[in-house]
Amino acid sequence: MPDKMSVQECKGPQEPHVPSWERYADQFPVRQHLVYLNHAAVAPLSKPAADAMKHLADDCHQYGSLHYDQWMAAYAGLRNAAARLINSRPSEIALVKNTSEGIATVAMGLDWKPGDRMIGFREEFPANYYPWKRLEQKGVSVEWLSVADPLERVEEACRGAKLLAISFVQFLSGYRAPIQAIGEICHRNNCIFLVDAIQGLGAFPIDVRESKIGALAADGHKWLLGPEGCGILYVNEELLDRIEPVEFGWTNVAGYADYSSRDMGLRSDAGRYECGTLNTIGCCGLKATIEFLLEVDPRIIGPHVQNLGDRIARGVEGLGYEVLGTRTPETGAGIVSFRKSGAIVRLLRAANISTAPRGGWVRTSPHFYISPADIDALLAQLH
């Protein structure tokens, strides 16, 4: 497969004064059709992701597996890119199907015993709720907190707990958890800290070392602007021997490239959680989009996404809508949910504005290539 130019090479030197929604407009052709405010559901592919996946499809179509060594390089490239994004080592990254698989790998791979205790949160998306309910049925004690509980309550619950699991950003309210503070609490109490990062990774910076995160899972199809069915699982190297692989196949083992071997010794890195052939085309797309986001820089993306969310919240409140939760500079993220009577989502769809109905709320979720004028177009339809 021929080398591809990076987004930066294609676009030339950046001009810092150009707003992100203008600088990267050509990377998101969806803007020609929709005001897309639904990144918390399924995001449009970034152009780098789409191009990388088309490139792999064409290569396989024309040459079969002749360039398989380059496919392997894409796997390594994705591990490297993901590690850069969260400040981990590539050896701590497993390539998984989705966030649910990542969370379940940790939940079911730990050596739980009756009487063990963990901490969950009532507001979580089912992927970060059902695994802990299953553990409850097997004798593990789950202490259910609210994300609105003060940190003192979290500290109290952490004493003697084996694990705490929380989302970086809540899927409905958009509440962004104080990850660093919770990580410090877990570290003080020798409690594994598991983060479901799918609703924040790609929009806001996250540092697993600084935040003392033991494990983190995220799929590519939301704020990472990548494909469905391809995600990452980070497991801190100190936990690798405590979390057994849930699924076991030919690539969990260290000698997986030797098909005649029957040695079942595990790989020394997080690859031990991969049980078979990977989603190659998805890995190509996810690698490309993470590298693209690293070029844009999450430290720039985060403030813009939060400002767009603030603009929506202020605007709909001014129009008499109820907003779910309370936004602050510390807890606001890219998700804003609001409601009032009427078929609002359908009304917005007719105006080519994409949002999502969630539990009686209208959920909006703009990314960094969305402009303030796009938000104003939304508000104009809600008058």
Side-chain angles (χ1 to χ4, degrees), residues 7 20-21 24-31 36-53 78 85 99 197-204 218-232 281-298 301-302 304-305 308 365-370:
V7 172
S20 61
W21 59 90
Y24 298 104
D26 61 345
Q27 303 301 305
F28 298 95
V30 68
R31 294 186 64 189
Y36 204 88
L37 306 179
N38 202 16
H39 297 86
V42 178
L45 290 172
S46 66
K47 188 173 184 297
D51 287 349
M53 294 168 74
L78 174 52
L85 188 64
T99 312
I198 193 170
Q199 292 293 7
L201 190 64
F204 292 88
D219 201 337
H221 69 272
K222 297 185 188 291
W223 301 90
L224 289 171
L225 303 168
E228 287 191 298
C230 189
I232 63 166
I281 197 165
C283 289
C284 288
L286 188 54
K287 169 185 176 290
T289 197
I290 291 177
E291 289 174 345
F292 168 61
L293 290 169
L294 285 165
E295 285 186 11
V296 180
D297 193 344
I301 294 171
H304 178 54
V305 168
L308 292 174
S365 46
H367 216 318
F368 76 97
Y369 66 91
I370 299 298

Side-chain angles (χ1 to χ4, degrees), residues 94 101 105 243-257 263-277:
E101 183 182 37
T105 296
I243 301 171
E244 288 291 317
V246 177
E247 302 174 298
F248 208 94
W250 68 282
T251 59
N252 298 88
V253 302
Y256 67 90
D263 185 343
M264 294 177 62
L266 292 174
R267 288 160 68 169
S268 62
D269 58 16
R272 64 178 59 192
Y273 304 116
E274 300 165 7
C275 77
T277 302

Side-chain angles (χ1 to χ4, degrees), residues 195-227:
V195 175
D196 175 347
I198 193 170
Q199 292 293 7
L201 190 64
F204 292 88
I206 189 164
D207 185 322
V208 295
R209 294 281 185 258
E210 187 176 80
S211 299
K212 309 293 193 300
I213 294 171
L216 174 150
D219 201 337
H221 69 272
K222 297 185 188 291
W223 301 90
L224 289 171
L225 303 168

Side-chain angles (χ1 to χ4, degrees), residues 105-377:
T105 296
V106 178
M108 303 305 160
L110 283 167
D111 182 21
W112 297 96
K113 296 179 174 56
D116 281 347
R117 190 166 59 84
M118 63 84 56
I119 300 157
F121 291 82
R122 292 187 291 271
E123 298 89 346
E124 291 289 334
F125 188 76
N128 199 23
Y129 182 84
Y130 291 158
W132 319 122
K133 294 300 290 184
R134 287 196 70 194
L135 287 178
E136 256 185 335
Q137 297 166 8
K138 296 180 178 181
V140 174
S141 174
V142 181
E143 186 161 355
W144 294 102
L145 302 182
S146 167
V147 294
D149 285 338
L151 289 173
E152 292 79 12
R153 178 73 186 89
V154 176
E155 175 99 47
E156 178 185 351
C158 262
R159 297 187 185 114
K162 188 167 188 171
L163 180 143
L164 179 148
I166 193 170
S167 288
F168 183 21
V169 174
Q170 289 297 320
F171 79 102
L172 183 57
S173 68
Y175 172 81
R176 179 158 51 100
I179 294 297
Q180 188 165 348
I182 295 174
E184 293 289 349
I185 289 170
C186 290
H187 183 68
R188 283 196 296 273
N189 290 279
N190 197 29
C191 175
I192 298 169
F193 185 23
L194 168 63
V195 175
D196 175 347
I198 193 170
Q199 292 293 7
L201 190 64
F204 292 88
I206 189 164
D207 185 322
V208 295
R209 294 281 185 258
E210 187 176 80
S211 299
K212 309 293 193 300
I213 294 171
L216 174 150
D219 201 337
H221 69 272
K222 297 185 188 291
W223 301 90
L224 289 171
L225 303 168
E228 287 191 298
C230 189
I232 63 166
L233 169 65
Y234 156 78
V235 178
N236 184 280
E237 59 189 3
E238 295 181 3
L239 292 176
L240 290 174
D241 290 334
R242 292 182 59 186
I243 301 171
E244 288 291 317
V246 177
E247 302 174 298
F248 208 94
W250 68 282
T251 59
N252 298 88
V253 302
Y256 67 90
D258 180 359
Y259 305 150
S260 63
S261 172
R262 296 298 181 262
D263 185 343
M264 294 177 62
L266 292 174
R267 288 160 68 169
S268 62
D269 58 16
R272 64 178 59 192
Y273 304 116
E274 300 165 7
C275 77
T277 302
L278 297 172
N279 175 2
T280 304
I281 197 165
C283 289
C284 288
L286 188 54
K287 169 185 176 290
T289 197
I290 291 177
E291 289 174 345
F292 168 61
L293 290 169
L294 285 165
E295 285 186 11
V296 180
D297 193 344
R299 294 171 299 179
I300 294 172
I301 294 171
H304 178 54
V305 168
Q306 185 160 356
N307 286 340
L308 292 174
D310 291 343
R311 193 181 189 95
I312 294 173
R314 286 194 306 267
V316 296
E317 282 180 329
L319 295 171
Y321 290 77
E322 178 188 359
V323 175
L324 178 61
T326 301
R327 290 179 68 85
T328 70
E330 294 75 30
T331 64
I335 294 172
V336 179
S337 296
F338 58 88
R339 66 184 177 187
K340 192 193 271 189
S341 61
I344 300 169
V345 172
R346 200 177 311 150
L347 168 91
L348 294 172
R349 187 174 298 162
N352 293 324
I353 300 173
S354 180
T355 61
R358 289 293 184 272
W361 299 87
V362 179
R363 188 181 68 182
T364 57
S365 46
H367 216 318
F368 76 97
Y369 66 91
I370 299 298
S371 72
D374 292 328
I375 305 306
D376 293 343

Side-chain angles (χ1 to χ4, degrees), residues 30-108:
V30 68
R31 294 186 64 189
Q32 300 168 24
H33 310 287
L34 298 167
V35 174
Y36 204 88
L37 306 179
N38 202 16
H39 297 86
V42 178
L45 290 172
S46 66
K47 188 173 184 297
D51 287 349
M53 294 168 74
K54 291 173 186 173
H55 187 69
L56 188 281
D58 286 343
D59 181 67
C60 188
H61 179 57
Q62 296 178 35
Y63 296 101
S65 62
L66 180 63
H67 302 127
Y68 200 81
D69 58 333
Q70 295 179 40
W71 301 5
M72 299 297 101
Y75 301 158
L78 174 52
R79 295 182 210 280
N80 286 330
R84 287 176 57 206
L85 188 64
I86 64 173
N87 191 30
S88 74
R89 296 182 177 89
S91 59
E92 296 172 312
I93 301 292
L95 306 180
V96 294
K97 295 190 297 290
N98 46 51
T99 312
S100 296
E101 183 182 37
I103 294 172
T105 296
V106 178
M108 303 305 160

